Amino acid sequence: MDHPKKFIKEAFSFDSKTLYLEGPLEPEAIDALDYHEKLVSFRPAQAQKKALMEIAALPEGRINVIRDENQIVGYVTFVYPDPLERWSEGKMENLIELGAIEIAPEYRAKGLGKHLLRLSVKDSAMENYIIITTEYYWHWDLKGSGLDVWEYRKVMEKMMNAGGLIWFATDDPEISSHPANCLMARIGANIDQASMEQFDQLRFVNRFMY
């Protein structure tokens, strides 16, 4: 499967300055930018910057960012699911995962996450994919946000909805382990019935339970 990528860039007015939402970026473009020191939700800042460059180098990998002058202050990743997760078991070439979205603390609560996701699906090539995201409450910044688990879940759902992702049922054990966890997905306009049936088989491995 081909993975064409169309670079898109949009300006965003933030306080008294202009930020830029753009991508997908090539590894060299990410390397040339500074990286905000508080983007540490998944690993230390420089290690995460390296991880973004590695994803950007993959055929299907996409990194879209929020840029403040020469600094990355937020990002979203799209890549094939981890080989150890059930979502990779079907070896679906047209299923990719929104693996992470992170925004530096001082840039949050301004709608930037929603705008970044809207930009991410403007490339017509995204209509060729089923895009999934798996939301686990233990990844959420409950302490920093001051929200409880259900308030944070609502915030995450609204943000994902902005990118066209909606809730889907599943019997995945990790997701089912807590009621706040969820699977969300966006079904591209070019997805055929056979792919949908394959996706349904991945969502419900233990069909006898339902």
Side-chain angles (χ1 to χ4, degrees):
M1 177 176 176
D2 292 330
H3 301 280
K5 303 172 189 179
K6 179 182 178 182
F7 178 82
I8 300 174
K9 178 179 178 180
E10 293 181 355
F12 185 92
S13 180
F14 182 85
D15 294 339
S16 59
K17 55 188 172 182
T18 300
L19 307 181
Y20 291 95
L21 286 64
E22 58 189 24
L25 296 187
E26 296 295 328
E28 297 78 15
I30 297 171
D31 192 28
L33 294 172
D34 297 328
Y35 191 82
H36 198 287
E37 63 181 8
K38 293 184 180 178
L39 291 172
V40 293
S41 293
F42 300 95
R43 53 180 65 85
Q46 288 307 306
Q48 183 63 10
K49 180 181 180 181
K50 182 180 177 183
L52 297 187
M53 292 171 60
E54 291 172 352
I55 291 172
L58 297 171
E60 83 287 357
R62 289 171 174 262
I63 302 296
N64 298 325
V65 306
I66 303 166
R67 177 171 57 81
D68 185 348
E69 296 185 353
N70 197 54
Q71 185 179 62
I72 295 173
V73 299
Y75 64 85
V76 61
T77 73
F78 296 89
V79 68
Y80 278 143
D82 189 302
L84 298 178
E85 295 182 346
R86 83 153 55 172
W87 312 108
S88 67
E89 292 175 3
K91 301 187 185 305
M92 295 180 66
E93 290 188 330
N94 59 352
L95 187 149
I96 60 174
E97 183 171 16
L98 192 170
I101 181 166
E102 185 178 11
I103 298 169
E106 57 264 47
Y107 295 84
R108 295 176 188 170
K110 299 288 186 177
L112 278 165
K114 291 180 180 179
H115 284 278
L116 185 59
L117 290 181
R118 289 191 187 109
L119 175 132
S120 297
V121 296
K122 284 186 175 181
D123 183 349
S124 61
M126 297 299 264
E127 301 302 334
N128 300 328
Y129 298 107
I130 296 174
I131 303 169
I132 67 165
T133 185
T134 51
E135 294 297 330
Y136 304 112
Y137 80 91
W138 49 82
H139 288 165
W140 300 341
D141 184 17
L142 299 177
K143 183 178 180 180
S145 68
L147 302 175
D148 67 30
V149 66
W150 295 110
E151 290 169 334
Y152 204 104
R153 160 76 182 264
K154 287 180 181 178
V155 170
M156 290 299 301
E157 277 198 274
K158 286 182 179 179
M159 182 166 62
M160 295 301 170
N161 289 164
L165 289 91
I166 61 173
W167 178 87
F168 276 80
T170 179
D171 64 4
D172 178 77
E174 270 202 292
I175 293 174
S176 301
S177 68
H178 191 280
N181 296 342
C182 65
L183 168 71
M184 301 187 74
R186 180 184 187 273
I187 310 301
N190 300 328
I191 295 299
D192 59 19
Q193 185 60 33
S195 294
M196 277 305 303
E197 290 175 0
Q198 195 171 6
F199 179 48
D200 289 342
Q201 290 171 1
L202 290 175
R203 289 196 297 125
F204 294 106
V205 172
N206 302 309
R207 286 182 178 273
F208 65 88
M209 296 175 62
Y210 291 84

